[in-house]
Amino acid sequence: MADADDIRHLALALPHVVEIDSAGFDFRVADKGFVWSYPERRPGTPRRIRTDIAVLYVGDEAEKQALLLGEPELFFTTPAYDGLPLVMLRLAQVSVERLRELVTDAWRMRAPDSLVGELDDAVDPPNPDLSRAHPTR
């Protein structure tokens, strides 16, 4: 089970992330949002910021539909998000490890290529050519 503190920790661990002042959480890279609190809107009531639900950037409609259809217990959408590459994630239903994957993927889709390369270099350093380290005898 994950929560808003987990989102904050994971998002701020990524390169060049800025947290925007808000009633919940709102994270950006290169001035582009990639994960934020769900601003729930119900007719006749004021907007309510839901920190138990994250809005995630997913890149395209195909990815959105795959998540919605493949894991309906985790992901949902509303008519206000029709046509947008965004899904809502129920934080209480997701593990922190899966959340790390989702937040990182959202960041990768919004970050400039140079920053993505920086993250990849930090996470997956090049493998040395072991054949040179141990020549055959």
Side-chain angles (χ1 to χ4, degrees):
M1 181 166 121
D3 61 23
D5 288 337
D6 294 315
I7 292 267
R8 185 167 280 107
H9 173 76
L10 295 169
L12 290 174
L14 295 165
H16 302 278
V17 169
V18 174
E19 183 172 10
I20 304 301
D21 187 34
S22 73
F25 52 85
D26 186 345
F27 296 96
R28 311 225 174 153
V29 61
D31 293 322
K32 296 177 183 177
F34 65 97
V35 61
W36 58 90
S37 309
Y38 174 50
E40 184 178 55
R41 293 173 179 90
R42 293 188 181 213
T45 63
R47 181 177 77 157
R48 178 177 158 222
I49 302 299
R50 300 274 309 263
T51 58
D52 61 323
I53 298 173
V55 179
L56 285 165
Y57 185 85
V58 294
D60 63 27
E61 187 66 23
E63 177 71 14
K64 177 179 182 172
Q65 292 305 317
L67 292 170
L68 293 171
L69 295 171
E71 299 174 89
E73 69 282 0
L74 294 181
F75 300 100
F76 70 100
T77 190
T78 66
Y81 289 93
D82 285 352
L84 298 173
L86 304 169
V87 294
M88 278 63 80
L89 170 66
R90 295 174 183 94
L91 293 176
Q93 303 298 317
V94 68
S95 71
V96 174
E97 271 311 304
R98 180 68 194 286
L99 182 61
R100 178 187 321 277
E101 173 189 319
L102 293 164
V103 168
T104 302
D105 286 350
W107 178 91
R108 285 178 184 280
M109 287 181 262
R110 300 297 272 174
D113 290 343
S114 61
L115 293 183
V116 173
E118 185 179 312
L119 179 68
D120 290 342
D121 290 346
V123 173
D124 298 318
N127 290 330
D129 184 352
L130 297 178
S131 66
R132 292 178 194 205
H134 302 287
T136 57
R137 297 181 187 153

